[in-house]
């Protein structure tokens, strides 16, 4: 019996080691895949604070919380199973769907550029798409819905990059890695967003510190600097977020064109980045990235400029007619 018990314990220990190795493998794969999606993660963190600006301080964290919950729902309940199913049954459909999402990001970003450059035209465009909200609650709901909608596209890109970075293997292992990356990125991004949007309140609290020492004076100075600096920081972050939507959207479309379009597109982009890198070899990597990002941004603006009238005069009227038909039928 003692020999049998020792054998059983050895078997349990072996199973535990295999399980621990599997968990280590999941964590390692999640870390590597998450690192490859870092660019989109940064874009996500830059975009989200735009949706909180203008609300009362007490509503900032609840709004961030709603967007975070929506983002987690996007990743775990919708995108994770869809990514696994598409990757298994229809892998060729992933890139075209991502290109559609990229076009949406270009549209959103270009719409914000239009609002900054020609606010009257932007307000007219928005009025054609949806009724103007009449109370603060509906404005908040619209902002949250818009943020979750944008997050869906960024989350889809994150999950697609993660899936592409994973080695072939068990679908359950891939599901665990995708879930771990999705959860970790959501917590990280919206934790940072919460800190950003509450930094001015922290500054006010620090500025009111009543200590009489040198340290107390330094704390008050830090608080005042935070309060004065946050509006500028948020404005800069808003600009970065808009640029990020256009750049990421254009980059998704550019990679799709390189994959499915004429080979000359990919060769031209590669030649441009190489030529720029040769001009400044000491910072070749940075130059290559910058040139490709600039090309993606220009393409994103062009796609967004085409999408604005297409949505206003095509998709939006068609959607309104469909809703009216549905309402009459019901």
């Amino acid at each position: 019996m003692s020999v049998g018990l020792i054998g059983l314990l050895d078997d349990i220990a072996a199973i535990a080691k295999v399980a621990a190795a599997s968990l280590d493998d999941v964590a390692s794969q999640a870390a590597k895949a998450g690192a490859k999606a870092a660019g989109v993660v940064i874009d996500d963190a830059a975009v989200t604070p735009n949706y909180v600006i203008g609300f009362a301080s007490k509503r900032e964290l609840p709004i961030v919380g709603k967007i975070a919950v929506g983002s987690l729902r996007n990743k775990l309940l919708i995108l994770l199973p869809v990514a696994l199913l598409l990757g298994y049954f229809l892998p060729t459909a992933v890139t075209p769907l991502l290109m559609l999402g990229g076009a949406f990001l270009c549209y959103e970003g270009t719409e914000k550029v239009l609002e900054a450059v020609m606010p009257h035209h932007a307000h007219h465009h928005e009025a054609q798409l949806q009724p103007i909200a009449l109370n603060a609650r509906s404005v908040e709901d619209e902002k949250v819905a818009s943020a979750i909608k944008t997050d869906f596209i960024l989350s889809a890109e994150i999950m697609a990059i993660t899936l592409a970075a994973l080695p072939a293997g068990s679908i359950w292992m891939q599901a665990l890695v995708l879930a771990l990356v999705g959860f970790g990125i959501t917590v990280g991004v919206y934790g940072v967003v919460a800190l950003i949007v509450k930094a001015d309140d922290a500054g006010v609290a620090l500025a009111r510190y009543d200590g009489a020492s040198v340290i107390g004076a330094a704390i008050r100075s830090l608080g005042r600097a935070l309060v004065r600096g946050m509006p500028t920081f948020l404005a800069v972050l808003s600009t970065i977020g808009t640029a990020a939507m256009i750049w990421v959207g254009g980059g998704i479309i550019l990679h799709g064109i390189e994959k499915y379009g004429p080979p000359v597109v990919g060769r031209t982009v590669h030649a441009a980045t190489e030529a720029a890198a040769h001009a400044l070899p000491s910072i070749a990597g940075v130059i290559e990235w910058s040139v490709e990002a600039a090309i993606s941004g220009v393409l994103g603006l062009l796609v967004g400029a085409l999408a604005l009238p297409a949505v206003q005069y095509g998709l939006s009227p068609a959607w309104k007619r469909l809703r009216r038909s549905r309402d009459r039928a019901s």
Side-chain angles (χ1 to χ4, degrees):
M1 287 180 63
S2 61
V3 173
L5 180 59
I6 290 172
L8 176 62
L9 291 175
D10 284 343
D11 289 341
I12 293 173
I15 293 171
K17 287 180 181 178
V18 171
S22 297
L23 290 174
D24 286 343
D25 195 25
V26 169
S28 175
Q29 290 185 27
K32 290 177 182 177
K36 290 193 174 182
V40 184
V41 172
I42 293 169
D43 296 337
D44 202 359
V47 167
T48 305
N50 293 343
Y51 296 97
V52 184
I53 295 172
F55 287 97
S57 176
K58 65 180 181 180
R59 294 305 308 159
E60 290 175 343
L61 288 183
I63 291 172
V64 172
K66 287 180 182 180
I67 299 171
V69 170
S71 176
L72 205 57
R73 185 171 60 245
N74 284 342
K75 292 182 179 75
L76 300 185
L77 300 185
I78 302 174
L79 293 170
L80 190 154
V82 168
L84 291 174
L85 289 172
L86 285 176
Y88 189 80
F89 292 106
L90 197 61
T92 55
V94 174
T95 300
L97 289 174
L98 283 176
M99 290 177 72
L100 286 175
F104 170 77
L105 286 178
C106 295
Y107 164 77
E108 286 273 289
T110 307
E111 188 181 37
K112 293 182 184 301
V113 172
L114 181 67
E115 185 175 355
V117 177
M118 293 184 289
H120 175 73
H121 288 78
H123 294 156
H124 175 70
H125 173 75
E126 291 174 4
Q128 299 298 313
L129 302 183
Q130 59 187 3
I132 298 173
L134 298 178
N135 55 67
R137 181 68 181 174
S138 64
V139 170
E140 179 177 316
D141 290 343
E142 288 173 10
K143 285 285 188 180
V144 170
S146 180
I148 293 174
K149 184 172 58 175
T150 301
D151 174 271
F152 184 88
I153 308 302
L154 292 170
S155 294
E157 179 71 357
I158 288 168
M159 301 300 268
I161 291 171
T162 302
L163 187 62
L166 296 180
S170 165
I171 193 170
W172 298 111
M173 177 72 78
Q174 291 179 337
L176 280 173
V177 174
L178 285 170
L180 185 58
V181 169
F183 182 81
I185 284 177
T186 302
V187 171
V189 165
Y190 290 98
V192 170
V193 170
L195 289 175
I196 289 172
V197 300
K198 298 308 292 182
D200 53 349
D201 290 342
V204 170
L206 292 175
R208 291 175 177 171
Y209 183 73
D210 58 0
S213 64
V214 174
I215 295 177
I219 289 173
R220 288 191 293 274
S221 297
L222 175 61
R224 288 191 292 269
L226 276 174
V227 172
R228 286 194 295 266
M230 281 311 295
T232 302
F233 176 77
L234 287 174
V236 170
L237 195 63
S238 175
T239 302
I240 292 172
T242 298
M245 282 194 283
I246 296 170
W247 162 56
V248 171
I252 295 170
I253 294 171
L254 180 62
H255 292 151
I257 293 173
E258 290 175 353
K259 184 173 182 178
Y260 293 114
V264 67
V265 174
R267 287 198 297 266
T268 302
V269 173
H270 183 67
T273 57
E274 274 199 339
H278 284 315
L280 292 168
S282 59
I283 51 171
V286 175
I287 293 298
E288 285 183 3
W289 180 89
S290 300
V291 170
E292 186 170 351
I295 294 171
S296 299
V298 172
L299 177 61
L301 278 174
L302 290 173
V303 171
L306 293 173
L308 284 172
V311 169
Q312 182 172 341
Y313 300 111
L315 292 179
S316 182
W319 175 248
K320 289 177 180 178
R321 285 195 295 271
L322 180 62
R323 290 186 62 181
R324 283 196 294 267
S325 299
R326 187 188 61 184
D327 292 341
R328 284 197 296 267
S330 61

